[in-house]
Amino acid sequence: MTHAPRDTPGPRPRRHWPWSRRTSTGADVTVAVLLFLLEAVVLVLGLFGHGMEGWAAQGDRERIEAAELAGRVWLSRCLVAVLVLAVVAMVSRARWTVVAHLLLAAGVAALLVLDQHDRDRSHPTPEPRPRLEFTLCLSGDRCD
């Protein structure tokens, strides 16, 4: 009669990945609200800072446009960050956090579109320059 050695380990415990189970509703809602408020505060403070930079330019058109461009770039980076956090929440199966981030991403995208639309309206494309047309006049022809 043979016995198995006692040194052999038993079955390994299964690893738990973040996406293996749904996040509890309480933790999900808490994280969703806290992240939404934190991101909204960061968004408002960033927009306020770029707006103050444009205001501090005191009519210097070049500095104002540079501040507006920096604000649009910052807003687009915020949109990317919010979407990345939404993907992380999706992987963690936290549905309320995903919903909150997608709502915030929609708001940031709307702000970005409105800002670009305002810039396009204030800087219309210039009229095309008229082309010069020459009529070849040979001696003896009548050129008007």
Side-chain angles (χ1 to χ4, degrees), residues 51-63:
M52 291 304 289
E53 178 65 32
W55 178 72
Q58 299 272 330
D60 183 9
R61 198 72 209 145
E62 188 173 312
R63 280 184 59 198

Side-chain angles (χ1 to χ4, degrees), residues 81-136:
V82 169
L83 289 174
V84 165
L85 286 174
V87 168
V88 169
M90 202 177 301
V91 166
S92 298
R93 295 179 65 186
R95 64 179 171 190
W96 293 108
T97 306
V98 171
V99 168
H101 278 83
L102 291 179
L103 286 174
L104 190 64
V108 171
L111 285 175
L112 194 57
V113 167
L114 289 173
D115 192 25
Q116 186 64 41
H117 179 68
D118 184 43
R119 193 238 182 254
D120 289 343
R121 289 189 71 192
S122 66
H123 295 84
T125 56
E127 294 287 329
R129 288 190 280 167
R131 294 183 305 163
L132 296 176
E133 295 182 17
F134 294 103
T135 307
L136 185 59

